[in-house]
Amino acid sequence: MHTLATPRGDHFSSTSTLTMAALSAVFFGGSSSAPPVDAEYAQYIEELTSFGLERLKREPQRLHDARERLNSDLHQLSVREYRSFVANADATQATSEGLAAVRERLDSLESHLPALVEACSNVEERASAIREERRAVNLVLEHHGTLLELLEIPQLLETCVQNGYYDEALELVQHAHRLRTRFGHVSVVRSITQDVAAHCDRMVSQLIRLLRTDIKLPMCLRVTGFLRRTDYFSDAQLRLVFLDAREAVLSSQLAAIPTSDPAAHLKRHMDCSRDHLFDIITQYRAIFADAAGRDPVLHAWVLRQTHSFIDTLTAQLARVREGAALAALLTQAMYFGLSLGRVGADLRVFIVAPFEEAIFRVTTSILAEGLGRFTNELPTAPRATCTSAQGKGESVLLDSPPLGLLYNTFMAATNELRQVAPLSLIERLADAYRQTLADAAAAIVENKRDDHMELFTTVLAPAAVRAFASVYASHASMVTERIAVQQICAQFSA
């Protein structure tokens, strides 16, 4: 009996593969119905190659018997377990149907997933916002006391300003500024600082109004110190604000003085100006310590006040008609200028010119008024019976009413001038006297009143010159030469 040797060694795998391929070609003719090559099939083929011829002959019958036995066992199993197979088929069908329904539901669920995801995102966002709000509310609740103090700052500042507690108000303002520096990005802090700024503006206005009242130096120092701490004004601006406010006090006091009587008005005006200007300059130099020297702001302000006073003085002196009143006013004005000189604001040099003009105007107005009346009465005056003095002096002028009126005019002007006679006006007044005498002589000649010319040249003109010269006794010769009565008389007598 010949046997087939079983391949051994390293070439077992390749040989076994070739053997199985050859057997498949023999038994199945290379058709597609050949069973798949697996481990069990390979093992059987390997065993088959090891059988002898007799066994190989018996192998088909054994396989046939084995198949019959298996079919019989399968039939018996089917009969015995048919209920299980039916249940298994039903379960399989139910499972297939359930899986189809699950697949449909899964497809529906999948179609709704984007909306669900979006809704979940919205819920998450809202939850985050609510969580942040809750955290903020908890934080606010935790710092409730501190926040309440901050929110009460504007109201507390307003109360302090209304009651005049400026130190406390300025501390609150500084605290608000620190908060703005550190937490300026917080809306609540910005709102608080805005309210504080508004109340601070009102406080500054209130302090300036306080400066516009009649307060003394200590209060001025406090108010100015408060204004400095607000940082609203630079140093130069604060000086101007101070002077402007104090000037408002002076202006209100001066505006209340009655103007019906010019002399009384000027007296009260000078008294009020002297007191207030002295106080203002003193207060200014005490508050602004560096103003001891020549301060340009103070200098400009004092110069402006001086010009304002001179304007008022000039306007009111134009209404004064009496030399005695002018003399009294001049004395008071000089005292006024001397008092301000103690604080470096001596304005006497500016006072002289208005008084000179007032004195000249009063004197010349009397002369002009008398000359006018003389000119009007001369044509209708009776003829003078006495044409020379004849030892009677000025009383001889009673014989001629126009000449008597003119004489009284010169005496009245001289008496007013005698009250206050500036030496600087001697030449202008002498010219005024000379011109009045010349105009009177011209009127006599024009009206052909030779009966009055003798009395005019021998009595009235010399008497007028002597009266005027008596006012300037130390310059009598100069007065006589400047008026030159003889030349006037010679001019019109010819």
Side-chain angles (χ1 to χ4, degrees):
M1 179 181 297
H2 295 282
T3 59
L4 296 175
T6 302
R8 297 285 185 264
D10 297 335
H11 301 286
F12 172 77
S13 297
S14 59
T15 304
S16 176
T17 302
L18 293 173
T19 301
M20 286 187 291
L23 290 176
S24 296
V26 171
F27 291 115
F28 302 102
S31 65
S32 59
S33 61
V37 179
D38 55 8
E40 186 178 0
Y41 178 75
Q43 183 180 2
Y44 175 72
I45 293 299
E46 183 180 355
E47 290 179 357
L48 188 63
T49 57
S50 64
F51 291 169
L53 180 61
E54 293 297 330
R55 189 172 179 179
L56 287 174
K57 291 180 178 181
R58 293 192 303 268
E59 189 64 22
Q61 185 61 41
R62 189 183 66 79
L63 291 176
H64 176 75
D65 293 340
R67 186 177 63 180
E68 291 296 330
R69 188 176 56 257
L70 289 174
N71 287 336
S72 176
D73 292 342
L74 179 61
H75 178 73
Q76 292 176 2
L77 178 63
S78 300
V79 171
R80 188 178 62 251
E81 299 294 337
Y82 81 96
R83 294 181 184 277
S84 298
F85 288 125
V86 172
N88 185 27
D90 293 339
T92 301
Q93 183 179 359
T95 301
S96 298
E97 294 175 354
L99 288 175
V102 169
R103 185 178 297 106
E104 292 178 358
R105 293 181 180 179
L106 285 176
D107 292 339
S108 176
L109 177 61
E110 185 178 3
S111 65
H112 289 83
L113 280 179
L116 179 61
V117 171
E118 184 178 358
C120 290
S121 299
N122 294 335
V123 170
E124 184 179 2
E125 291 177 359
R126 293 180 60 189
S128 299
I130 294 173
R131 185 168 57 252
E132 289 297 325
E133 291 180 1
R134 185 173 182 275
R135 187 185 66 81
V137 170
N138 290 335
L139 187 62
V140 169
L141 185 61
E142 181 181 353
H143 298 86
H144 175 265
T146 304
L147 291 175
L148 187 60
E149 292 178 358
L150 293 177
L151 293 174
E152 288 179 347
I153 288 177
Q155 183 179 1
L156 184 59
L157 176 60
E158 182 181 11
T159 303
C160 291
V161 172
Q162 289 177 351
N163 295 322
Y165 300 140
Y166 299 113
D167 280 318
E168 292 79 2
L170 288 170
E171 290 179 0
L172 290 173
V173 171
Q174 293 173 358
H175 181 56
H177 287 170
R178 288 193 294 269
L179 289 176
R180 182 182 61 186
T181 302
R182 295 181 58 188
F183 309 104
H185 60 282
V186 181
S187 60
V188 175
V189 174
R190 288 199 302 269
S191 177
I192 291 173
T193 53
Q194 289 174 0
D195 293 340
V196 168
H199 292 305
C200 190
D201 290 340
R202 285 192 284 273
M203 179 178 65
V204 171
S205 300
Q206 186 169 318
L207 289 171
I208 294 176
R209 286 197 300 272
L210 189 59
L211 277 179
R212 292 175 177 269
T213 59
D214 192 12
I215 56 177
K216 300 304 179 184
L217 177 59
M219 193 61 184
C220 286
L221 287 169
R222 291 193 61 199
V223 172
T224 310
F226 293 145
L227 288 174
R228 271 201 182 103
R229 290 170 60 185
T230 61
D231 292 332
Y232 264 59
F233 308 104
S234 64
D235 184 69
Q237 291 174 336
L238 184 59
R239 294 171 187 242
L240 292 174
V241 167
F242 175 81
L243 291 175
D244 181 70
R246 303 310 293 161
E247 181 182 350
V249 179
L250 173 60
S251 299
S252 64
Q253 297 286 339
L254 295 178
I257 301 175
T259 58
S260 56
D261 185 355
H265 174 82
L266 279 177
K267 288 179 181 179
R268 292 187 59 184
H269 190 284
M270 284 187 283
D271 289 338
C272 182
S273 298
R274 181 183 66 250
D275 295 338
H276 282 83
L277 288 176
F278 186 87
D279 289 343
I280 292 172
I281 296 174
T282 303
Q283 293 166 358
Y284 181 91
R285 288 180 172 171
I287 294 170
F288 305 100
D290 60 340
R294 182 180 176 85
D295 182 82
V297 176
L298 180 62
H299 175 74
W301 184 82
V302 171
L303 189 60
R304 183 160 58 87
Q305 296 304 312
T306 300
H307 290 163
S308 176
F309 171 74
I310 296 302
D311 292 341
T312 302
L313 180 66
T314 303
Q316 295 299 322
L317 285 178
R319 300 170 55 198
V320 178
R321 296 289 184 270
E322 299 177 358
L326 289 175
L329 290 173
L330 178 60
T331 301
Q332 187 172 358
M334 288 299 176
Y335 175 70
F336 170 57
L338 181 62
S339 297
L340 293 182
R342 295 163 53 192
V343 290
D346 191 346
L347 48 79
R348 287 177 293 177
V349 65
F350 300 102
I351 294 175
V352 174
F355 274 97
E356 287 181 347
E357 293 301 320
I359 295 168
F360 182 77
R361 177 187 47 77
V362 169
T363 304
T364 54
S365 63
I366 294 175
L367 294 175
E369 182 180 358
L371 179 62
R373 293 175 60 187
F374 169 77
T375 305
N376 292 334
E377 294 185 8
L378 183 61
T380 60
R383 185 176 179 80
T385 57
C386 184
T387 58
S388 63
Q390 298 177 352
K392 296 181 180 180
E394 289 82 2
S395 60
V396 73
L397 298 176
L398 296 175
D399 190 50
S400 174
L403 291 178
L405 176 62
L406 187 59
Y407 176 79
N408 289 335
T409 296
F410 280 107
M411 294 303 106
T414 303
N415 290 334
E416 295 297 337
L417 182 61
R418 200 182 302 278
Q419 303 294 329
V420 50
L423 187 60
S424 57
L425 291 179
I426 185 171
E427 294 183 357
R428 293 178 62 193
L429 289 173
D431 293 341
Y433 270 70
R434 185 180 188 282
Q435 186 62 43
T436 303
L437 290 173
D439 292 341
I444 294 174
V445 171
E446 182 180 354
N447 288 278
K448 300 178 181 180
R449 300 303 301 266
D450 297 337
D451 52 327
H452 289 71
M453 181 58 74
E454 181 65 24
L455 294 175
F456 176 80
T457 57
T458 59
V459 179
L460 189 145
V465 174
R466 286 195 301 273
F468 180 73
S470 65
V471 175
Y472 297 98
S474 59
H475 298 78
S477 59
M478 188 271 288
V479 169
T480 302
E481 292 177 0
R482 191 167 187 89
I483 297 179
V485 175
Q486 295 179 355
Q487 293 181 6
I488 297 173
C489 295
Q491 177 183 352
F492 289 98
S493 297

